[in-house]
Amino acid sequence: MSAWLESAIARGQDNSDWLAPKRAHALELLSATKWPTRKTEAWRYTPLRPIERSKAVPVENQTGLLPLAIDGLNAIELAFVNGQLDKVQLADTLPEGLTIALGSELSPEQQASALQEFSTIKPERHLFGLVNDALVNDVVIVSVEENVKIDEPVRISSLLSQGAESHTRVLVSLEAGARLTVIEDVQAQGDSLSTAFVEYNIAPKAYLEHYRFALQTGSNLAVGGCHFNLHDHAKMNSTIVAFGSELSRLDTDIIHAGEFADAKLNAMYLLDDKELFDLHATVEHAMPNGTTEENVRCIVADRARAVFNGRIHIHKDAQKTLAELNNRNLLLSDKAEINTKPELEIYADDVRCAHGATVAQIDKQALYYLQTRGVSRAKAQVMLNFGFINELIDLMPNETLAEWIRPIIRERFAQMEVM
Amino acid sequence: MSNSNNLLTIKDLYASVEEKQILKGLDLEVKPGEVHAIMGPNGAGKSTMGYVLSGREGYTVDSGSVVLGGEDLLDMETEERARAGLFLAFQYPVEIPGVSNLEFLKASVDAQREARGEEAISSADFLKEAKAACKKVDLPISFLKRGVNEGFSGGEKKRNELMQMLLLQPKLCILDETDSGLDIDALQVVAEGVNSQRSSDRSFIVVTHYQRLLDYIKPDFVHVLSNGKIVKSGDASLAQELEAQGYAWLQTEPTEDELEG
Amino acid sequence: MTEQIDKALAREYEAGFVSDVESETFAPGLDESVIQRISKMKGEPEWMLEWRLGAFRDWLQMEEPDWALVDYPKIDFQAISYYSAPKSMKDKPKSLDEVDPELLRTYEKLGIPLIEQQMLAGVAVDAVFDSVSVVTTFREKLEEAGVIFCPISEAIQKYPDLVKKYLGSVVAKKDNYYSALNCAVFTDGSFVYIPKGTRCPMELSTYFRINEQNTGQFERTLIIADEGSHVSYLEGCTAPQRDENQLHAAVVELVAMDDAEIKYSTVQNWYPGDEDGKGGIYNFVTKRGVCHTNAKISWTQVETGSAVTWKYPSCVLKGDNSVGEFYSVALTRGRQQADTGTKMIHLGKNTKSTIIAKGISAGKSNGSYRGLVRMAAGAEGARNFTQCDSLLIGDQCGAHTFPYVESRNPSAIIEHEATTSKVSDEQMFLCQQRGLDPEKAVSMIVNGFCKEVFKELPMEFAVEAGKLLEISLEGSVG
């Protein structure tokens, strides 16, 4: 066990609020957990030394942090500042059928029902998910009533000041036939450490459109998770855009808990400098007739390291499942690393599952083609890199977000050193 | 001696791919405004010529020289050659998903204008020009938004090549088997596009296996390329002769049958 | 339909008989004295014993690996006998006439005649029975070509310099738990040396047979192909049908010097246990080859036997332009579990590797492909292509794919693809509508699925492998 985890466990024990039963359970599991090493499969390529050495501490009452403006986006804005919900104008302005509340402010009955869902979608195997269970001091609960379609996206930003440690937790519930868009994003000033976990319960025929922008870079440490539970005929479409940092790790779990559910996940990451980004994407097909389509693309420059683990698990009863994973990686430098592991674990015979993974350089023919038209090699490389990612940006259902992220990504490519 | 009025002068060019020599003493002179057709059997080195002139990686010049508009072409990077006015229309244009046709065209035009010291064209003006070019080659405007050649049919790819030529206004166009895979209608569209670009300061090298294309694009000269060099030159009538006879007569080495007989 | 296919796959294990041979067998148990006794039985030099003891001390410090997707009760290493040999072998028979006829009959029954008149032309065989090599055929003919093919116990005495230099050079003693155990207690196996520029005039083959109860078989094979040489080697293996599990922990090392080529084929047919998972061999094997400049190593395996398989024949592509290949068919049925695959470690420039793995899972079995492709920083221009296909037969089995892809070189290209499919009702219907019975239909579909791998096997074995799958489908559909 590491000193960091020991101190986390000690701090978790101080608290005795409405989350206490869940916290106690998490602490019990944590006490029995071995601190991961290189030999721990889930952390094989992502050493935890930066967390062991982190000097980040909880910071209270920090003001002056504002979420990044997204041009043209008309969203319902929620912001965590150093882990505390900044609940300025949450009250009456919400559209009908949408409620956003802090768990601690609910009635005991409501709290009891929230506890029924809390930490049931997020699998217990995630070490930092347990840390979050233990250290989070409140839960933001977002719910959409039956058959209500919310047009305005709900944006949940997490803002971190220099050296801050933060633990945030959101529980999103879409009742039957509901529709919602959620945007998660982060801004951090450096040397921060955050755990950020969101659980989504998507009832029959509900539809979730989801975005996670993990754009923190530099010395920030980030560990988080997005966990989705899909019931009968539920649908989700998730887009993840990530840059790397000294340590940035995201675990996604898509659980087909009902029949005929449909999940799409498009993830892209662009790493530069000495950054690391590690995406562990798990799909559990527990019920029949589900479909999953995952596209993961990654570009790694300089001394950066990219890790991807894409697991598709088809349970015995999940007949007629269609699941596909496509993972493509571009390695731009001889100091960079790509470690990718697409996995299939299949226990049903009448399914169609496939995965493909490639690691390569930029397509030389395309590079030549651009050059024959007079485009310089450097510019052509930027264009091709961008094009590789742009294919996934084109798939983003929300055009405002696509238009917002495109120039940000283009700018990042323009700065990347290519060989 | 090469004529200083030439737009292009290729002298005794030897070039290899993967250590196999393909061009073996190629000579060719092209004056401004001329249209030269290069014909020849498969494997003669027709496509190689275009790749070598454009500076494709993996195509090594062993000896010889190539001068375009007074400049040593072989000294330049691929993009510099393009900016110097060389345009290669590919037989099989590559698909580049994720990079829109419009973005690609704008980047190309910008790069070339910059190289010529001209001012950058505004996005709005460029869009107008691109739309006009699109119309001219009979492609729907929506093709400007699609990825470069992505999912285009064979004919659409060729027309997209032509559109690039219209926008880039090169000095020398090499059309590499532009007729392959085209039906007669598409062939006419391409030929009309090319003919509309013929002018006294623009030259063409039309590389083709069949005479068919030359019915629509009338060449001033026809050359037969065989085993890496030009073995016969003539006027347009040579193309018809070739069509009638095929390329078998080029077999300069006696065949085994002949030796035994 | 599934039921029909299942029946079609159920089969008799034809090699399940026990030979009535009087053996000298060590009492179960493992400590340094056992290792000393093995070494003494083999008449080994002191350095070999020291090597073994070193490995044993390492092994004691190591832990059994648990990352494979296989599940079996903890092995009691003290309940295993580490040496067993027919008493008749004690005097080291000089010729075939002196070999116990019962031993010869055993191999004949297995389709490996060792008697001169019946020997397979073009295949030299080293027949290993429990812990000893019974006979090695065609030795003189091979010697004429300068090829050494003999039991490894003999090589340790006759060619100590070669053995000292290469034993443990590809698979380090401490490489893994089972390899360390093998180093400590290995008993026999084959040694091959192909001199410079020599093309081995015939196929070399080792046939491993476990006979005695409660014994483990710890084979050790070392093949050295010197510069510019070529050899094709194949191994087969079977064991009697018993209710107890038996351990087979082998280590195979291949060394392909500059411009050399080694083709290593395996048809693994150890006793798989019965339909309920009782009995069967635990097949925990470490196989690895190193390729020097321009060398090539090609592994082909057809895995149909064993209760549990844990096996990853690998290539270290050390030299520039070297080539590694892995072609595999793994069929599991009943309660069999197989976790098998390969590692391709690209170190040199322009190295190439190809992986084609076909898994067929039926009954209540589980088959996993586990592979690693690593492009080291120096692997300029290296390429890998991997294709893993799984075929599931029935809804009680599992088929899994765990590929690790690691790249440190931007000019290296890696392509990995995996698919899964089933024998569809439509396919079966079509075959049956055209007049094929279900067994034939399944066997045809399965054989078609495996074709890419079968074509890599040497002729004699391709036929055997095809038959092996076919036998499993024969005469059992009612």
Side-chain angles (χ1 to χ4, degrees):
Chain A
M1 177 142 336
S2 80
W4 187 88
L5 184 58
E6 270 173 38
S7 112
I9 291 173
R11 281 187 285 153
Q13 258 139 1
D14 292 343
N15 216 324
S16 61
D17 54 7
W18 68 289
L19 285 167
K22 294 281 185 180
R23 192 172 286 125
H25 179 64
L27 287 170
E28 193 181 321
L29 292 173
L30 279 177
S31 310
T33 302
K34 271 193 200 161
W35 185 246
T37 66
R38 286 251 161 188
K39 286 191 171 169
T40 313
E41 190 63 27
W43 296 93
R44 188 181 171 97
Y45 301 110
T46 302
L48 287 173
R49 236 168 299 121
I51 288 185
E52 290 161 24
R53 288 194 308 239
S54 170
K55 295 197 168 60
V57 287
V59 175
E60 278 181 44
N61 303 326
Q62 184 81 22
T63 48
L65 292 172
L66 282 173
L68 225 103
I70 299 180
D71 271 356
L73 184 75
N74 185 21
I76 298 156
E77 304 260 355
L78 288 183
F80 288 103
V81 178
N82 292 332
Q84 304 288 337
L85 183 69
D86 184 9
K87 47 182 170 94
V88 199
Q89 67 293 62
L90 257 187
D92 322 316
T93 55
L94 293 181
E96 201 161 327
L98 172 71
T99 51
I100 300 177
L102 266 177
S104 60
E105 293 170 0
L106 296 175
S107 69
E109 296 77 41
Q110 288 171 315
Q111 286 179 343
S113 104
L115 281 179
Q116 296 283 319
E117 278 194 350
F118 178 82
S119 222
T120 56
I121 302 169
K122 174 177 71 61
E124 285 182 344
R125 68 170 189 281
H126 300 311
L127 168 63
F128 290 92
L130 295 174
V131 168
N132 184 278
D133 284 354
L135 293 184
V136 76
N137 49 29
D138 213 336
V139 180
V140 173
I141 298 169
V142 177
S143 28
V144 186
E145 285 172 23
E146 203 169 318
N147 292 322
V148 171
K149 295 179 174 48
I150 306 294
D151 293 329
E152 291 170 276
V154 171
R155 181 182 177 197
I156 306 166
S157 305
S158 178
L159 312 172
L160 294 155
S161 57
Q162 179 76 32
E165 176 183 334
S166 119
H167 305 281
T168 62
R169 189 63 170 269
V170 181
L171 180 60
V172 179
S173 269
L174 274 66
E175 289 183 24
R179 224 186 138 105
L180 182 70
T181 299
V182 177
I183 305 163
E184 302 172 35
D185 69 329
V186 191
Q187 267 172 273
Q189 289 182 334
D191 297 324
S192 69
L193 187 159
S194 63
T195 71
F197 288 80
V198 186
E199 291 177 283
Y200 293 91
N201 199 17
I202 308 163
K205 294 191 179 155
Y207 174 69
L208 173 75
E209 192 178 309
H210 172 260
Y211 301 88
R212 181 149 174 149
F213 299 104
L215 307 183
Q216 72 275 35
T217 56
S219 57
N220 295 292
L221 312 178
V223 199
C226 301
H227 315 283
F228 309 91
N229 204 32
L230 292 162
H231 296 274
D232 288 353
H233 296 276
K235 280 187 172 197
M236 60 168 284
N237 185 324
S238 172
T239 305
I240 294 165
V241 182
F243 299 162
S245 71
E246 196 180 343
L247 192 162
S248 188
R249 160 76 172 244
L250 180 65
D251 285 276
T252 63
D253 291 278
I254 295 172
I255 301 148
H256 288 253
E259 285 198 51
F260 294 100
D262 176 54
K264 285 194 175 52
L265 176 75
N266 293 314
M268 57 210 98
Y269 34 123
L270 328 160
L271 311 184
D272 199 3
D273 209 355
K274 280 188 186 165
E275 296 166 0
L276 174 135
F277 184 76
D278 177 348
L279 175 65
H280 271 56
T282 300
V283 181
E284 302 280 353
H285 277 273
M287 296 292 278
N289 295 302
T291 52
T292 297
E293 194 189 317
E294 288 178 274
N295 287 294
V296 179
R297 292 199 182 176
C298 160
I299 297 189
V300 201
D302 205 1
R303 289 152 184 260
R305 285 174 298 143
V307 183
F308 173 63
N309 185 296
R311 178 164 186 261
I312 296 176
H313 180 185
I314 314 288
H315 297 240
K316 194 167 164 295
D317 295 326
Q319 294 291 5
K320 308 272 180 203
T321 292
L322 298 179
E324 276 193 26
L325 162 67
N326 185 298
N327 171 229
R328 290 172 59 189
N329 303 278
L330 290 184
L331 194 52
L332 302 187
S333 134
D334 58 0
K335 302 251 167 16
E337 276 183 36
I338 283 173
N339 298 298
T340 181
K341 187 184 174 206
E343 294 179 51
L344 290 174
E345 201 170 336
I346 299 174
Y347 296 94
D349 61 337
D350 194 7
V351 298
R352 280 224 315 270
C353 295
H355 68 217
T358 59
V359 183
Q361 247 178 332
I362 288 171
D363 181 354
K364 287 214 168 113
Q365 274 197 52
L367 197 62
Y368 165 63
Y369 189 71
L370 286 169
Q371 285 180 280
T372 64
R373 298 303 180 248
V375 181
S376 73
R377 197 181 165 87
K379 167 96 183 160
Q381 269 171 330
V382 171
M383 280 175 75
L384 292 174
N385 282 332
F386 177 74
F388 178 75
I389 294 296
N390 194 35
E391 276 188 276
L392 295 188
I393 298 178
D394 280 343
L395 297 177
M396 282 169 66
N398 187 313
E399 270 191 38
T400 307
L401 289 175
E403 292 314 317
W404 166 70
I405 197 74
R406 242 187 222 113
I408 295 176
I409 289 176
R410 203 188 288 271
E411 177 62 18
R412 189 159 172 89
F413 281 127
Q415 286 169 1
M416 275 185 179
E417 292 243 354
V418 286
M419 285 173 63
Chain B
M1 279 308 286
S2 72
N3 188 326
S4 61
N5 292 331
N6 287 349
L7 173 66
L8 175 75
T9 309
I10 303 176
K11 262 172 74 181
D12 206 22
L13 184 66
Y14 285 77
S16 310
V17 185
E18 286 174 0
E19 290 171 28
K20 186 173 183 231
Q21 202 160 56
I22 310 284
L23 297 184
K24 301 169 186 173
L26 180 72
D27 289 298
L28 185 67
E29 296 187 11
V30 178
K31 292 196 174 60
E34 288 177 351
V35 176
H36 290 244
I38 306 270
M39 301 183 71
N42 290 327
K46 300 197 297 292
S47 291
T48 301
M49 186 184 77
Y51 294 150
V52 169
L53 293 189
S54 67
R56 183 170 196 163
E57 201 179 307
Y59 290 75
T60 326
V61 173
D62 303 318
S63 65
S65 68
V66 181
V67 174
L68 179 75
E71 289 182 87
D72 181 354
L73 199 68
L74 301 180
D75 239 17
M76 301 182 215
E77 296 293 328
T78 298
E79 61 266 32
E80 291 167 347
R81 299 180 195 202
R83 293 167 192 173
L86 178 76
F87 181 88
L88 175 62
F90 287 85
Q91 186 180 0
Y92 303 109
V94 68
E95 298 192 11
I96 314 180
V99 176
S100 83
N101 223 359
L102 189 68
E103 182 191 358
F104 164 65
L105 291 167
K106 176 90 164 55
S108 307
V109 169
D110 283 353
Q112 301 215 10
R113 289 180 75 107
E114 198 191 321
R116 289 196 294 265
E118 296 169 23
E119 253 179 64
I121 185 167
S122 79
S123 292
D125 288 346
F126 181 74
L127 186 61
K128 248 181 247 164
E129 277 189 27
K131 280 181 175 171
C134 224
K135 243 185 211 149
K136 199 154 181 187
V137 300
D138 206 15
L139 280 177
I141 301 294
S142 63
F143 275 56
L144 289 173
K145 279 203 164 174
R146 287 171 59 175
V148 178
N149 293 318
E150 189 186 4
F152 291 17
S153 72
E156 287 163 351
K157 282 182 183 166
K158 297 294 166 65
R159 278 181 272 162
N160 200 25
E161 294 290 288
L162 186 61
M163 174 161 73
Q164 293 166 34
M165 189 177 94
L166 298 183
L167 288 168
L168 293 171
Q169 295 288 308
K171 287 190 194 132
L172 175 67
C173 308
I174 303 170
L175 309 182
D176 186 8
E177 309 234 3
T178 293
D179 50 334
S180 73
L182 291 191
D183 63 23
I184 201 77
D185 293 337
L187 190 68
Q188 278 178 355
V189 172
V190 170
E192 274 166 31
V194 169
N195 287 331
S196 76
Q197 293 299 299
R198 288 178 74 157
S199 75
S200 61
D201 57 359
R202 181 169 299 124
S203 312
F204 290 83
I205 297 174
V206 181
V207 175
T208 182
H209 188 75
Y210 302 103
Q211 182 254 347
R212 194 176 66 149
L213 181 66
L214 304 181
D215 288 343
Y216 299 95
I217 305 172
K218 296 272 184 247
D220 300 310
F221 302 95
V222 174
H223 310 278
V224 180
L225 185 69
S226 174
N227 198 22
K229 61 183 185 185
I230 286 168
V231 293
K232 192 168 180 165
S233 298
D235 60 16
S237 65
L238 178 57
Q240 266 128 36
E241 217 174 290
L242 288 169
E243 182 77 0
Q245 293 181 3
Y247 296 107
W249 58 274
L250 287 171
Q251 193 96 32
T252 46
E253 304 286 317
T255 64
E256 275 179 39
D257 282 352
E258 284 166 335
L259 285 173
E260 280 167 19
Chain C
M1 192 61 71
T2 308
E3 199 181 324
Q4 270 178 324
I5 298 170
D6 259 1
K7 274 190 185 166
L9 279 169
R11 58 160 171 151
E12 290 289 304
Y13 182 70
E14 295 201 333
F17 63 90
V18 182
S19 306
D20 185 13
V21 174
E22 211 185 328
S23 285
E24 178 177 3
T25 302
F26 283 10
L30 179 59
D31 56 25
E32 293 200 1
S33 74
V34 170
I35 293 163
Q36 279 158 353
R37 271 178 76 198
I38 292 173
S39 191
K40 201 170 167 201
M41 295 289 288
K42 298 282 177 188
E44 286 175 355
E46 185 63 24
W47 60 267
M48 194 66 237
L49 175 63
E50 283 310 316
W51 195 81
R52 286 174 179 276
L53 290 173
F56 179 68
R57 285 161 203 154
D58 288 338
W59 179 74
L60 289 173
Q61 305 298 319
M62 293 169 82
E63 275 176 42
E64 224 176 317
D66 60 358
W67 40 260
L69 194 68
V70 292
D71 186 26
Y72 55 91
K74 211 162 169 49
I75 296 171
D76 179 357
F77 290 95
Q78 296 304 330
I80 297 172
S81 161
Y82 289 82
Y83 184 89
S84 177
K87 281 195 173 150
S88 61
M89 291 304 296
K90 196 153 190 193
D91 310 325
K92 301 219 171 79
K94 299 274 175 315
S95 71
L96 269 179
D97 307 337
E98 294 175 26
V99 174
D100 178 357
E102 178 61 23
L103 287 174
L104 298 179
R105 260 199 299 282
T106 301
Y107 285 93
E108 205 183 322
K109 258 168 114 174
L110 294 168
I112 318 287
L114 301 174
I115 306 160
E116 223 150 308
Q117 302 86 316
Q118 298 169 12
M119 283 192 289
L120 295 168
V123 184
V125 180
D126 183 16
V128 177
F129 193 90
D130 289 331
S131 304
V132 288
S133 170
V134 173
V135 65
T136 308
T137 64
F138 289 112
R139 286 178 69 160
E140 294 75 20
K141 189 170 172 199
L142 289 168
E143 271 162 28
E144 280 169 31
V147 171
I148 303 171
F149 180 41
C150 68
I152 197 150
S153 48
E154 188 182 318
I156 290 167
Q157 293 168 358
K158 278 193 174 165
Y159 314 102
D161 292 345
L162 280 173
V163 174
K164 252 190 199 168
K165 185 167 175 193
Y166 291 107
L167 193 74
S169 71
V170 186
V171 177
K173 273 193 282 186
K174 280 173 80 169
D175 185 81
N176 67 73
Y177 189 76
Y178 302 112
S179 72
L181 176 64
N182 176 285
C183 290
V185 301
F186 77 84
T187 43
D188 229 330
S190 302
F191 174 83
V192 177
Y193 173 79
I194 315 290
K196 274 184 197 173
T198 303
R199 197 178 174 89
C200 185
M202 55 207 315
E203 299 275 344
L204 304 184
S205 164
T206 305
Y207 197 95
F208 294 96
R209 174 73 178 171
I210 296 179
N211 189 59
E212 194 62 30
Q213 205 152 4
N214 296 327
T215 56
Q217 193 181 52
F218 303 90
E219 90 194 50
R220 184 91 195 186
T221 295
L222 174 60
I223 299 177
I224 302 151
D226 214 329
E227 287 170 27
S229 68
H230 176 283
V231 63
S232 171
Y233 174 93
L234 24 102
E235 71 172 339
C237 32
T238 54
Q241 196 158 338
R242 285 208 179 86
D243 286 349
E244 299 80 34
N245 297 109
Q246 277 178 284
L247 177 63
H248 170 84
V251 173
V252 174
E253 294 177 285
L254 311 184
V255 180
M257 304 301 283
D258 294 358
D259 303 302
E261 182 175 345
I262 301 175
K263 190 170 171 57
Y264 192 107
S265 314
T266 305
V267 175
Q268 187 264 104
N269 187 26
W270 293 117
Y271 177 55
D274 68 9
E275 290 303 308
D276 300 320
K278 208 160 193 204
I281 302 291
Y282 294 156
N283 190 33
F284 301 152
V285 173
T286 306
K287 292 185 170 177
R288 195 174 304 152
V290 61
C291 284
H292 294 273
T293 306
N294 297 325
K296 175 176 172 180
I297 289 180
S298 179
W299 298 100
T300 305
Q301 60 173 25
V302 176
E303 302 280 314
T304 61
S306 298
V308 180
T309 297
W310 180 100
K311 179 182 173 192
Y312 316 91
S314 305
C315 297
V316 180
L317 303 173
K318 196 171 170 187
D320 294 350
N321 310 313
S322 59
V323 176
E325 294 175 340
F326 176 73
Y327 299 96
S328 170
V329 165
L331 170 75
T332 55
R333 39 180 210 92
R335 300 260 181 184
Q336 277 177 280
Q337 307 172 66
D339 195 298
T340 183
T342 183
K343 290 190 222 174
M344 292 291 173
I345 312 290
H346 291 254
L347 302 176
K349 289 186 186 128
N350 299 315
T351 45
K352 285 194 176 55
S353 65
T354 304
I355 300 171
I356 307 285
K358 306 278 181 179
I360 303 139
S361 304
K364 293 183 172 156
S365 72
N366 274 292
S368 302
Y369 166 80
R370 188 180 302 276
L372 167 69
V373 175
R374 176 181 291 153
M375 300 293 181
E380 203 70 30
R383 290 212 62 155
N384 160 264
F385 175 76
T386 302
Q387 175 80 49
C388 297
D389 298 313
S390 315
L391 188 69
L392 287 104
I393 299 175
D395 57 1
Q396 304 290 310
C397 56
H400 320 298
T401 316
F402 305 103
Y404 293 73
V405 178
E406 304 177 353
S407 186
R408 310 273 176 283
N409 189 300
S411 67
I413 299 176
I414 307 173
E415 287 173 87
H416 169 95
E417 284 169 26
T419 64
T420 176
S421 57
K422 65 173 207 157
V423 177
S424 74
D425 292 353
E426 289 84 356
Q427 288 170 326
M428 287 295 284
F429 179 69
L430 174 72
C431 294
Q432 286 178 272
Q433 209 286 319
R434 297 296 182 261
L436 297 175
D437 57 39
E439 305 157 356
K440 186 68 198 162
V442 175
S443 125
M444 230 176 68
I445 293 165
V446 171
N447 260 299
F449 177 76
C450 302
K451 207 155 132 199
E452 276 174 277
V453 175
F454 286 168
K455 75 174 173 30
E456 295 298 324
L457 286 170
M459 188 75 93
E460 299 82 353
F461 269 55
V463 175
E464 187 178 325
K467 262 200 251 156
L468 207 56
L469 288 185
E470 201 147 334
I471 284 168
S472 55
L473 313 167
E474 233 168 48
S476 43
V477 177

